[in-house]
Amino acid sequence: MSKQKWIGTLFVLALMLLYSCQNQSPQKEGLTVAGPVQFAADKAPFPKLSDYAFFTGIQRDLQPNEGVLPYELITPLFTDYAHKSRFVWMPKGAQASVDAEGRLSFPDETVLIKNFYYPADFTQPDRDWDLMETRLLLKNKGEWQAVTYVWDEAENDAELNIVGDIKPVSWQDEKGHKQNIEYIVPNKTQCKSCHNRDGVIEPIGPKVANLNKALRYPDGRTENQLSRWQKTGYLVAGDHGQQFAKLAAWDDPRSGSMRDRAMAYLDVNCGHCHHPQGPAHSSGLYLQVDQSDPTHLGICKPPVAAGKGSGGRQYGIVPGQPNASILLYRMEKTDPGIAMPEIGRVMVHQEAVNLIRDWIAELEGNCN
């Protein structure tokens, strides 16, 4: 080959290389994990979230590894407007059963995974996340353990945290308003205070009634979650969706009546404590979705010991009078000595306040 042809060939190769570089997407950076899930209940909790390999590839992308199944709740717990992505993992061949109340009874070595994050712009929830924490519920020898991992500033990985943390975060909400808070990561004791049933830790969210909805999965298919859990082998066979009434979506009027949606919200956000076997059982206020006793709902019920939490009001709920009702008063406050729930928020959930206000306003009767 002549010298001129060599020069020409090199020139063409250089142009091809330049074109290739210009048309490549920018390489994403971050801690990458490969291989299957690594979980041994007797050795948990691990120091880093990445040690479990629940997520594959770049860790902050939260792409579930094989066997890690995403799920969503119809009505979720409010946590200062944080977005959440939830996953469940079980060892091969293990599956959950359903008890008489429609709660899922998980086998040993199950892990429930919940990531808390804030999109920079809530109108674009799938972009530019600010990861706060990842909470795990690990089951070993019949007992659950709650552990929390806090993400580092670069969002490469999350580290085990026992004592809790405070992380400043800001975002733009759906209405274009700038929001800033000091996000509180709970400590281990606070985790237990919510996940407490008869003195032992139990999951709150995964119930048949709250899972019975369609979800779009990473494989592109949209499917009812109960069906997908059964196909995956994670849920015992049975027509559970027919056996237990579907929970209303608190923010969707098409899903139920005003009462249905109000009770769904109170059940998920308050019912884990205000339950006959919950930490607030002595209050006599039981806020389960199927509660029909007016007194247990707080209607015309004086508080047991509200202190300044009553705001000078006489009853938990006064039919037709939201502003005279202690329940709504405490939802509207952020003072730690007044606010309900006691932990898990520093902001008022204004949309839920509006729902409960409307529900109380339409109740008939009086407390005289």
Side-chain angles (χ1 to χ4, degrees), residues 159-174:
E159 187 171 337
L160 181 64
N161 181 297
I162 304 297
V163 299
D165 200 355
I166 297 176
K167 296 176 65 110
V169 61
S170 62
W171 70 93
Q172 182 172 290
D173 66 21
E174 291 89 346

Side-chain angles (χ1 to χ4, degrees), residues 290-307:
D290 57 352
Q291 182 58 254
S292 58
D293 185 318
T295 302
H296 284 322
L297 281 176
I299 296 176
C300 299
K301 178 186 178 302
V304 174

